[in-house]
Every structure is written in C-alpha cells, then in structure tokens.
Amino acid sequence: MSGDVILRATGVTKRFGGDGFLTRSPVVQAVDDVSLEVRRGETFAIVGESGCGKSTLARLLMRLLEPTAGQVIFDGEDISHAAGPELTRLRRDMQFIFQDPFSSLNPRMTVGKLIGEPLEVHRPELSTGERRAKVGDLLRTVGLSDEHANRYPHEFSGGQRQRIGIARALASGPKLVIGDEPVSALDVSIQAQVINLLGDLSRDLGLTLVIIAHDLGVIRHMSDRVAVMYLGRIVETGTAAEVFDRPRHPYTQALLASIPAPRPEGEERAAHLLGEMPSPTAPPPGCRFHTRCPFARPECRTAIPELASADPGEDHRVACYYWRDIASPDGAARAVPRSEPAEARFALYRAAIEGGQVVHKPAGSAPAAPPAT
Amino acid sequence: MSSDHCPPSERPAGTAPADILRLTDFKLRFRGQSVATVNGVSLTVSAGEILCIVGESGCGKSVTAMSVMGLLPKGTSDVLSGDLSFMGKTYDLRRQNLPPHLRGNQIAMIFQEPMTSLNPAFSVGDQIAESVLQHQGGTRAEAMQRARDLLVKVGISAPDQRLKEYPYQLSGGMRQRVMIAIALANDPKLLIADEPTTALDVTIQAQILDLIDELRRDTGMGTMMITHDLGVVAEIADNVAVMYGGEIVEYGPVREIFANPQHPYTIGLMSAMPRLDRPGGRLAIVPGSVPAIENMPSGCRFRTRCAFANERCTERPLPKAAGSGHHATCHFAPLEDHIRVQA
C-alpha cells in the first residue's frame, strides 16, 4: 500500500431541505464539516449508526450529491461540482456497490447486459465480441462463470447477485470502489464469501475500497483505516487497530461495548449506552454526543471539539476535549475460550475449506461410530 | 390437517411443570412441495429460559415459530407430525392449532420490523390498550392505565405523551419497545421474538437485549428468540438450537455451543463470522448456499455444503450426545475422532 492520497475531502458539508414556498421544510444537517483522506490501495471504512450521515458522505465522495460547502478532490481534481463529460470520466474511475442486490439490478436485463452496460458507456471502442469476452472475464473474477451471462437476476441467490453487482462496478476498470453496506443484506456464510472476494479484489487489482457499514466485526476485518461518524461529524479516525483496540472517543467506546458478546459466567450484563441519537434536524450545540455522553462537562455543551491527534505526526485523531481523562477500555471483544478439541475442529474445518484432502479415519479409531463403508 | 394420524393414547404424556413449551418431532411441508420445510424439530423452553434458534434465511426458524403461534395461513401447508405442549396441555398440531385465546395472551410474539407490525393509524396507547381489552376485558380507562404502566416497564420516558403518539413519531428502538409493551400486556408465559433487534442499530440493540433479559428475570417468562446473529446468541441465550434446512443440527447450553461446537455447520458459521479479536486474513467460509427446498438432499441436509461429507451422509444422522445436554446431528461428531485433513 503506497501512501499517496487518492481521495481527499475538506470541510465537506451537506444540508438538505430549508426550501419550500410557503412552509420551509426543516433543514437536515446530514454531513457537517467532514475532512478525510483515503490513500491509494487501502480499504477505508466509515462506520456509524443509522442517521449519522455515512451514506450521504459516501454519495458526496463520489459526486452523486453536490456538497453545500467544502471540497472533494479525487486523483488531484476537484470533483465537488463535476458535470458533463468530466462526470462521465469520473464514473469510470469511481464505482459504487449497493447494499441491496435485489433492488439494484434491473430484473429485465440479463446478467451479460447488466455487466456489459457500463462497458458500452466507458469502453465504446470494444466490439460486441470483445465486450462479451470482457463480461466473461468479469464474471470469473467475481467467482461466477461465463454461462451465467444469459440468465436474469431473479435466477440468482443474494450472494450471487451481490457478486453481479461487484462485477458491474468493476466493469469500467475503476480506481476506487465505494460500497454502501455491501454485505449487510447477506447471511453470515454468504457474507464471508463476499468479504473474501472484496479482499482478493483489493489486493489483486490494487483497488481502493471505501466501505460504509454498521457491522463493526465486518469493518474490523476488512479495513485498514476507519472513521467513526456521529450525527454528521467524524468523531474519531485512525487505523483499524488504533480505533478498535484503543478507542479514545466515548462514542466509539460505547459502540464497541454495545457489540453483543458472550459474558463470562456469573458476570452481570454491562450497562449500555442510554438514549438515542438526536435528530439531525436539531443537532445539539457543542459536541454532538454530549447528550448521551457519561463524561460530558459544561464546555462540551457549547463548543464543538476539533478532530485532532495527540501528537502532530499521529494518524489517530479524536474529537473530544477530555479523551485523555477517559480510560480506554480493553477494546478487544471477549470471546468464549474454546476447548482444545474444539480448536482442533476449527483447524480441521479451515484446512478442509482451503483445499486440504479430507480423510475419514477407519472406524476402529472411533469407538462410537459403525464402519462407514 | 393431515390424513394420517395416531391414536390419542400414543401421544406423549404431559410435560413437567417447569417446561413452558415443548415441541416434539414437528414436521411441516408446504403444499405443492415434495420435501418437508421443517423436518422433525423438537425443542423445549422452560420458565425464565431464553432459547435462541439460530440459522440463516430459509432454515425454517421463522416457520417453526409461526406454527407454534398458529399463524401460518390456512391451507398453505400440512403438518406431517408434531405435538405441542404448552403449560402442560398437549395439542396434536396435525389436527389442531394452538387455541386462539392463548395467542397474544399467554404466548406473545414480537417481530423484526416494528414499523410494519404496528398499525400506523392508531395511537400507541390505543394499540396497547386493545391487547389488554381483548384478553382481560375491563374499561378503556383501566386499559389505558395498564398501557401507561407497560410503557414505563419497557423503559419509555414521558409515557403520558407517548400514549397519544403514533408509530411514525417514534424511532425504531422506541417502536420495538412499544411492540414489547404490547407483547407483555397480558403477562405472557412465553415470548416468541423473531429477529427482534435485526433492524436496530447496535447501541439500540444492546438496550433492547437488556430489556428482554431484565423482563425474563422479573417475570419468569420463557423466551424463544430467533436470530441469525451469533453475537446476540452468545450474549443473551441460555440454550441454543442451530438450525439448517429445517432441522436442528446442534442443540445445547450456550457455553457448550461456543466452547465446544460439534456440527460442521456450527463450526462453519462461527468461522465465517468476522471477529474483532482476529482481524484480517481470509475467512473460512461455508461454501455454496442453502439449496432450494425441492433440491434438499436426502440424509444429512447439510452434506451438499459440508467439507467432510461422504457416502455415509446419505443416511440421516441421529442426534449424538456430547455431554451436558448438548447434542449434534452429525455422523462424524466429534470431527477430530473421525477426520484427518492432509495438506
């Protein structure tokens, strides 16, 4: 992973509403003064609860929305207000993977057409035959096969549809792919397949990924760096290890503590964060989190804390006045210790899934079982 | 509902009083299909217990819960076998559903999406009071008072104001609290919760799980919770039933399931879950996806996705005990005694 910045947002703000002729609709401050950098080749995750503005931010980053204020720089170019041919070129370099593989694919187009469509737009020089070959390549890249090109989306399961969505996003040969909850609609076993696929793609194609998600396990697993959002602002950012293992912001800490996890025998359930996120139409003054923060002091209610690092050179930044006074909890989630035979079973499982040859032991060594053959 | 039946005398006797719910060998097939969607599920829920049924979409967990509630539409399915004992009374599900007066009264249910389960045209107070009036009678004022008490019980602040509000005015977590208040209206003995926190954010999910945990402690109600989230299971369950393809493949106390899982599907699910403490690398997956019900294999239903399956798995495995009330339905459990893997 090289260190150069592919995407930079500076002071990006997005407000919705406030218009209307006779009655003004309420202004929703969806994204408020967000600055971030995504480096080439990395997987950058934006995490937060519903309504925190993470999807709006994603749409701003790829110029599906225009920011009310601030700038988005992609590959050295200001794209905040890109239009026309510039926008078409941008679409080639930046693609989107949607959450719901059921509603994001046109049911009346074959998979071949769905994946071929972005090629028609962005690679008009390809002949029909070349395009068909490229669609086949893309299908194989995402773990499907050539003959799937003639089928319709309804013939596929959720995981396969998400693969089609990914192939479609890859068709134009993008440098950066933004995934808005790309695996959250999928079952655990399927989700793992898609997570592995995205990991392989980012490695093999040198793709930069921006992942929007609410599942902290998924984010921890996939991402290099993380930004935590609360009510339209980034409250903490850093490498995944920094944010997850040594969270500084009380909101990040509360978020991590809310992840359901086994509790040791006899231990009471820990107290969880109370209350709910205030409405973005009326964000509280000062630190947006102060209404739910157990550590809030008077200053927190008046001025918004800046996102800042402890040392100038440090990448781990937090927007909290008092993070130094707040003990960082043991970030790593608890897990039930597995028995030794169970660990052996997990090792067997992994070995078998990764292509090892499964040998059934003769019945003699297994007292409870009758012979297999 | 089904034409074949056994004489009443052959039915299992009443259950022990501690068991609130006992379901025995429940088999259900949807009309027009040749394979049973739920294939011999047996489970119990006792007082104060939280039983989690965990499995992926299409594994039959919701269908099982809906049948217990008698909520499956008439004429769409046939019960092939199954006895349901509730509070010591046994019902043969082939011929009868649970009596409707128990539904919403002694057995209550909450669903995944509280917005679609609440009526948008009635106030929160009216909807809770309706449930009270339906089963307990009394005056409207009494029912409203009860509704107010319930809102307090489920942790809703400013209950007097909330009583007059409509579902659209509430957040997702608040709506789920209202759903729980409705469910609790008649002090149910059994709560069936179908993915109650799936639509909620993680901090709100934690609050709702806290509430369910607290309520079962205070009221001693049994809870059957359906979820796909192993984290939720680990956090709240006493006992766990892992379902695959309409069958329970592993059943046991929660610590046993996590510390000593036996069935390849359980192990696969746990391997496929991204973990906070072991980031990076490739996840060990469960290959393929759940086959459509008509393509469900004979014998062990998991064998088409199982890395360890061989010809023996065409024979249906029986539950194999693994100690402390823990059993798994796999010919090769425990794996380390039966399997080697060569690199």
Side-chain angles (χ1 to χ4, degrees):
Chain A
M1 180 176 52
S2 60
D4 71 319
V5 173
I6 184 166
L7 184 70
R8 170 181 285 126
T10 323
V12 168
T13 298
K14 180 70 187 174
R15 282 187 289 269
F16 293 106
D19 41 15
F21 175 52
L22 292 173
T23 48
R24 288 178 84 78
S25 58
V27 176
V28 177
Q29 183 96 16
V31 172
D32 183 23
D33 192 18
V34 163
S35 300
L36 56 83
E37 285 177 0
V38 179
R39 296 169 196 162
R40 202 177 296 276
E42 78 173 348
T43 300
F44 185 87
I46 303 170
V47 59
E49 297 181 278
S50 16
C52 74
K54 55 189 192 299
S55 292
T56 305
L57 178 59
R59 282 161 175 75
L60 288 167
L61 291 180
M62 69 172 301
R63 182 50 193 93
L64 283 172
L65 290 171
E66 259 183 271
T68 313
Q71 250 190 342
V72 180
I73 312 273
F74 175 69
D75 235 4
E77 266 179 80
D78 185 351
I79 59 157
S80 339
H81 305 281
E86 198 191 341
L87 194 59
T88 310
R89 211 171 52 242
L90 185 65
R91 293 280 172 267
R92 189 189 62 210
D93 291 340
M94 236 183 185
Q95 280 285 336
F96 211 73
I97 303 170
F98 295 92
Q99 171 174 3
D100 184 357
F102 292 83
S103 60
S104 54
L105 299 176
N106 186 339
R108 304 180 69 164
M109 284 166 88
T110 61
V111 168
K113 264 222 153 342
L114 279 165
I115 299 174
E117 195 182 34
L119 289 172
E120 282 173 41
V121 176
H122 296 293
R123 304 277 302 276
E125 74 280 6
L126 293 184
S127 70
T128 315
E130 286 169 329
R131 196 160 60 231
R132 198 176 301 130
K134 180 87 176 114
V135 167
D137 286 347
L138 286 161
L139 281 170
R140 285 191 301 276
T141 307
V142 297
L144 297 170
S145 57
D146 292 37
E147 66 257 29
H148 288 133
N150 298 322
R151 300 211 212 147
Y152 287 89
H154 73 89
E155 298 174 68
F156 294 88
S157 66
Q160 288 173 316
R161 283 186 225 201
Q162 199 56 303
R163 288 173 192 271
I164 295 166
I166 293 170
R168 194 172 144 88
L170 294 178
S172 63
K175 297 175 187 160
L176 181 126
V177 173
I178 298 186
D180 189 359
E181 301 274 10
V183 297
S184 61
L186 306 174
D187 272 318
V188 182
S189 70
I190 309 301
Q191 174 180 300
Q193 298 172 9
V194 176
I195 290 174
N196 282 347
L197 171 65
L198 288 172
D200 293 347
L201 292 174
S202 93
R203 198 189 51 237
D204 300 345
L205 307 178
L207 218 53
T208 309
L209 284 176
V210 176
I211 301 290
I212 316 290
H214 70 279
D215 186 319
L216 295 150
V218 169
I219 294 219
R220 178 72 177 106
H221 185 87
M222 292 183 74
S223 56
D224 300 307
R225 291 194 311 127
V226 181
V228 182
M229 277 188 88
Y230 186 79
L231 260 182
R233 295 183 71 96
I234 292 179
V235 296
E236 183 162 3
T237 175
T239 65
E242 285 165 344
V243 172
F244 279 85
D245 298 343
R246 292 175 296 283
R248 287 174 176 172
H249 198 282
Y251 177 62
T252 315
Q253 296 178 0
L255 209 54
L256 290 170
S258 301
I259 301 175
R263 58 183 189 284
E265 203 102 47
E267 187 183 294
E268 282 294 302
R269 293 165 55 82
H272 286 114
L273 188 63
L274 295 176
E276 300 182 2
M277 189 155 69
S279 160
T281 51
C287 172
R288 300 259 165 117
F289 186 60
H290 83 252
T291 54
R292 297 171 80 189
C293 182
F295 309 102
R297 299 187 200 171
E299 300 90 302
C300 302
R301 298 186 178 95
T302 49
I304 301 180
E306 286 294 314
L307 190 64
S309 51
D311 303 308
E314 202 190 25
D315 203 27
H316 190 184
R317 293 182 296 152
V318 60
C320 175
Y321 291 119
Y322 300 113
W323 68 266
R324 284 182 185 78
D325 306 345
I326 300 165
S328 178
D330 187 7
R334 295 153 293 168
V336 176
R338 284 181 193 141
S339 68
E340 217 167 283
E343 286 294 358
R345 264 167 246 152
F346 278 89
L348 280 173
Y349 187 85
R350 181 173 275 277
I353 290 298
E354 286 173 355
Q357 192 199 344
V358 173
V359 180
H360 292 82
K361 291 182 190 174
S365 63
T373 44
Chain B
M1 285 166 97
S2 166
S3 57
D4 57 337
H5 62 276
C6 59
S9 59
E10 281 176 31
R11 247 173 282 144
T15 52
D19 281 345
I20 287 178
L21 176 84
R22 178 182 291 267
L23 185 64
T24 317
D25 194 30
F26 176 61
K27 279 192 189 138
L28 176 134
R29 190 177 59 205
F30 281 102
R31 299 261 166 96
Q33 284 174 342
S34 53
V35 181
T37 296
V38 181
N39 197 25
V41 163
S42 301
L43 50 84
T44 59
V45 182
S46 52
E49 173 188 342
I50 297 182
L51 170 74
C52 277
I53 302 182
V54 62
E56 299 180 283
S57 348
C59 72
K61 51 195 195 302
S62 291
V63 171
T64 304
M66 298 286 262
S67 321
V68 169
M69 286 293 276
L71 286 177
L72 285 182
K74 274 206 170 65
T76 56
S77 58
D78 296 312
V79 175
L80 307 178
S81 73
D83 283 307
L84 176 71
S85 298
F86 180 70
M87 301 298 289
K89 264 209 181 106
T90 301
Y91 309 89
D92 183 342
L93 290 175
R94 284 176 302 171
R95 265 173 267 139
Q96 59 189 133
N97 267 338
L98 198 73
H101 67 86
L102 294 177
R103 197 188 305 152
N105 185 18
Q106 299 215 25
I107 304 185
M109 189 157 183
I110 54 179
F111 298 91
Q112 175 176 161
E113 194 14 270
M115 192 60 210
T116 53
S117 325
L118 290 169
N119 188 331
F122 288 91
S123 72
V124 163
D126 282 340
Q127 297 191 53
I128 305 177
E130 182 196 4
S131 179
V132 178
L133 289 169
Q134 176 79 33
H135 293 286
Q136 300 178 8
T139 67
R140 215 187 105 79
E142 284 164 2
M144 273 304 198
Q145 182 54 44
R146 172 85 179 135
R148 191 188 175 283
D149 296 344
L150 286 162
L151 285 184
V152 173
K153 196 168 177 180
V154 297
I156 289 184
S157 52
D160 292 307
Q161 183 202 334
R162 297 291 182 201
L163 277 179
K164 298 188 204 96
E165 290 188 344
Y166 289 83
Y168 79 90
Q169 292 170 294
L170 306 177
S171 67
M174 208 70 97
R175 284 181 207 138
Q176 198 57 289
R177 284 178 196 269
V178 170
M179 280 304 296
I180 294 174
I182 294 173
L184 295 177
N186 302 300
D187 297 315
K189 296 282 183 289
L190 178 73
L191 176 69
I192 299 181
D194 190 351
E195 303 268 11
T197 60
T198 305
L200 305 176
D201 276 317
V202 60
T203 60
I204 308 301
Q205 162 170 288
Q207 295 170 12
I208 297 292
L209 292 179
D210 286 346
L211 175 64
I212 292 174
D213 193 44
E214 188 189 307
L215 290 169
R216 63 97 175 241
R217 221 172 284 221
D218 296 351
T219 64
M221 72 180 178
T223 305
M224 181 164 128
M225 190 187 292
I226 293 167
T227 178
H228 68 279
D229 185 335
L230 284 169
V232 170
V233 174
E235 169 131 355
I236 201 163
D238 298 306
N239 288 300
V240 182
V242 182
M243 279 189 81
Y244 183 84
E247 296 172 354
I248 291 178
V249 295
E250 186 156 4
Y251 194 107
V254 65
R255 291 196 74 78
E256 271 291 304
I257 296 285
F258 281 90
N260 190 23
Q262 302 273 329
H263 197 281
Y265 179 61
T266 315
I267 294 169
L269 271 188
M270 290 179 181
S271 306
M273 262 218 329
R275 288 178 56 158
L276 290 166
D277 52 343
R278 292 182 191 176
R282 286 178 70 82
L283 295 164
I285 58 164
V286 183
S289 51
V290 184
I293 191 70
E294 314 87 66
N295 303 331
M296 210 46 102
S298 60
C300 173
R301 288 189 167 189
F302 185 58
R303 71 183 162 94
T304 47
R305 299 178 73 190
C306 182
F308 307 115
N310 71 359
E311 64 283 0
R312 207 169 146 214
C313 303
T314 53
E315 215 179 283
R316 190 175 176 187
L318 294 171
K320 214 187 257 187
S324 1
H326 179 191
H327 57 78
T329 313
C330 174
H331 291 299
F332 301 123
L335 288 174
E336 68 277 13
D337 288 354
H338 297 265
I339 305 268
R340 267 185 311 125
V341 177
Q342 289 167 348

